[in-house]
Amino acid sequence: MRSRWAGRLSIGLAVLLSAALVGGAGSYLARTTSDARAKVFAEVDARAGIAAELIGGLLASTDAQLRAVGTAHFTGTAAQLKTQPRIEELDATWYAVLNQGGDLLTADPPSAGVTARSLTSNAGFAIALETGTLAFGDVLDDGGEPTVPAFQPFDAPDGTRVMVMPIPLAIVSEQLAGALRVPASSSYVIDGDGRVVVASDKSALGVPLASRELRDGLQAGSHGGTGADYVTAQPVPGSEWRVVLSTPRQALLAPVQATSRVAWQLFAAFAIAMTAILLIGMFALLSAARLARARLHDALTGLPNRALFLEHANQVSAEWRRRRQTRTEGTVAALFLDLDGFKPVNDTYGHATGDALLQQVAGRLIAATRPEDFVCRFGGDEFLVLCRGRHDAADASALANRIREYLTEPFDLDGHTVTVGVSIGIATLGDAAQEPGDLIHNADLALYRAKEAGRGRVEFFSHA
């Protein structure tokens, strides 16, 4: 019994250990693959961020020059500014100067004043006042060449003023295109309204991105997937512009997927190997368990054999001796059984019928006894029953009589009705027997007396 439970425990532990190893390896591999993918996307985000910083630096590179122009020419009073000649060095189709409240101070040509005042709602105006440096606004499209407004703040006696002028998109695109070259990506700079300021491909300037998927992806967040591409958008300092990179996922993840494919193949091989080892181990344990059972059980009836009976009797005897002083352990009795009339059945109907009779006898013995009683086939047509927890010898006698009633009922064996008897000898642990060997010997002596007295009887062991 201990061997059987030890085998089951070993199999269970082996299954749990194998499952833990395979599950842990799979979890680690999945986590590693996920981390590698995340790292690839983070690198794309970083590249977009670098491009955005570089473009922001290029946009701000003329801050000092334009600030100097503003300070040199536009710090006078409103009356002085109205009589001031055109500033040719600005090289713009028009320019205007606003105070920080958005009031127009001067414009050249004067008709540009309307446009200049409308730009106080442009994001670039607020950014210039907030940061105190050159800022750029969203695309202007008045039917001619698309431009972006540049807002240059500078100090005047009455506070901060802002010089405004349009910069053609073609010039902006030419100056910034070099900073937008990112390998394997389609790159764009878009304004706050999503219109293209610079593009690495042949996208039209001053209009929304041609790809609807790309536009929808940008509306969903700063980075993520749009169809088969990974898209990231990073803000350009000094504006509400964004650098947008769109890169095919397949190109990005090809190295990770190649490594991951090999890793998962190795994992599959590992899992198969672990499963094979586990199955081999299970078969070995089951084979060992079957061999152990065969060694300790009768092949014909399936009952425990003499060796297992002695092992169990040793355990019961040892426990009985430990608890004997407390008087909490009842009588431990051994019932030695021998069938009466078994040989004639064998001789008349053959050994196959005799074997069938022994199998049915084993079943009736199990039915007649309690689960805690231990029934074994001792050999031939002899059986032993070890009873523990019985209150006294009378309980053992009652069990013996019940067994005799069960076994004397007719047996149906392949169409033959057979009746046999049984003789039973009973011995108990006590002064006359404290070891299993003595207990069995005394029960055998009692059985001998039962058979000598005429068979079909129950006899207790007695010294007399």
Side-chain angles (χ1 to χ4, degrees), residues 5 136 345:
W5 282 108
F136 290 81
V345 173

Side-chain angles (χ1 to χ4, degrees), residues 43-377:
E43 289 174 352
V44 177
D45 294 343
R47 289 202 296 268
I50 292 172
E53 291 291 337
L54 180 56
I55 289 172
L58 291 173
L59 291 175
S61 63
T62 56
D63 175 83
Q65 181 182 354
L66 289 177
R67 187 186 300 274
V69 172
T71 303
H73 298 286
F74 299 115
T75 56
T77 65
Q80 292 171 334
L81 293 178
K82 287 180 181 179
T83 60
Q84 180 175 267
R86 179 175 177 80
I87 310 301
E88 298 295 339
E89 61 186 293
L90 288 178
D91 191 24
T93 56
W94 62 264
Y95 61 83
V97 177
L98 307 170
N99 65 17
Q100 60 187 355
D103 298 324
L104 179 67
L105 299 179
T106 186
D108 189 310
S111 60
V114 176
T115 301
R117 279 195 298 270
S118 69
L119 292 178
T120 57
S121 62
N122 196 292
F125 182 78
I127 294 173
L129 290 175
E130 181 181 351
T131 62
T133 59
L134 177 63
F136 290 81
D138 296 334
V139 173
L140 300 176
D141 189 358
D142 54 5
E145 181 184 9
T147 61
V148 292
F151 299 89
Q152 177 62 64
F154 61 93
D155 295 329
D158 59 348
T160 302
R161 293 180 180 180
V162 179
M163 183 170 57
V164 186
M165 68 192 71
I167 309 295
L169 275 185
I171 295 176
V172 175
S173 179
E174 181 180 350
Q175 292 178 342
L176 302 183
L180 205 59
R181 293 193 182 98
V182 179
S185 297
S186 296
S187 311
Y188 311 90
V189 175
I190 60 174
D191 69 4
D193 292 329
R195 287 171 291 192
V196 178
V197 177
V198 188
S200 65
D201 55 21
K202 295 182 179 180
S203 296
L205 302 181
V207 297
L209 288 165
S211 170
R212 183 174 180 177
E213 285 188 348
L214 188 52
R215 295 198 304 270
D216 293 343
L218 290 173
Q219 290 176 358
S222 62
H223 57 83
T226 59
D229 296 334
Y230 176 79
V231 175
T232 182
Q234 299 297 327
V236 175
S239 68
E240 285 198 339
W241 298 358
R242 290 178 292 171
V243 167
V244 178
L245 298 186
S246 178
T247 311
R249 284 176 176 270
Q250 185 175 1
L252 279 177
L253 298 177
V256 174
Q257 289 173 341
T259 303
S260 176
R261 189 179 303 110
V262 173
W264 280 109
Q265 288 172 348
L266 291 175
F267 170 74
F270 167 73
I272 292 172
M274 289 300 300
T275 302
I277 292 172
L278 177 62
L279 290 175
I280 291 171
M282 289 177 62
F283 284 132
L285 287 171
L286 290 173
S287 297
R290 285 195 294 269
L291 289 174
R293 178 177 176 80
R295 183 178 63 85
L296 297 174
H297 288 77
D298 175 52
L300 177 64
T301 63
L303 293 176
N305 61 16
R306 183 184 309 189
L308 186 55
F309 182 89
L310 288 172
E311 179 182 329
H312 183 73
N314 277 319
Q315 296 174 9
V316 171
S317 300
E319 184 179 354
W320 175 81
R321 287 192 297 271
R322 286 195 302 271
R323 302 181 63 179
R324 186 181 185 186
Q325 300 301 322
T326 64
R327 299 184 180 278
T328 58
E329 183 72 15
T331 299
V332 175
L335 280 63
F336 210 135
L337 287 68
D338 182 77
L339 298 181
D340 299 327
F342 174 74
K343 187 175 184 302
V345 173
N346 253 349
D347 293 343
T348 303
Y349 302 109
H351 291 290
T353 301
D355 289 346
L357 173 60
L358 291 175
Q359 289 172 338
Q360 290 194 26
V361 167
R364 292 191 185 185
L365 282 175
I366 295 297
T369 55
R370 305 172 304 173
E372 57 266 36
D373 295 331
F374 196 81
V375 181
C376 89
R377 182 186 179 195

Side-chain angles (χ1 to χ4, degrees), residues 365-452:
L365 282 175
I366 295 297
T369 55
R370 305 172 304 173
E372 57 266 36
D373 295 331
F374 196 81
V375 181
C376 89
R377 182 186 179 195
F378 199 70
D381 61 341
E382 295 180 332
F383 298 84
L384 264 172
V385 180
L386 185 67
C387 309
R388 57 179 301 177
R390 298 285 177 177
H391 295 295
D392 50 33
D395 281 348
S397 178
L399 173 60
N401 286 321
R402 185 164 69 251
I403 289 173
R404 187 171 60 174
E405 291 175 3
Y406 272 63
L407 296 187
T408 54
E409 289 290 327
F411 292 88
D412 183 7
L413 304 173
D414 295 329
H416 303 293
T417 300
V418 174
T419 302
V420 295
V422 62
S423 299
I424 304 174
I426 304 175
T428 59
L429 288 176
D431 294 337
Q434 296 191 19
E435 298 295 336
D438 297 332
L439 180 66
I440 295 171
H441 177 70
N442 291 346
D444 188 30
L445 291 177
L447 172 62
Y448 179 76
R449 288 180 55 189
K451 297 180 77 67
E452 285 291 314

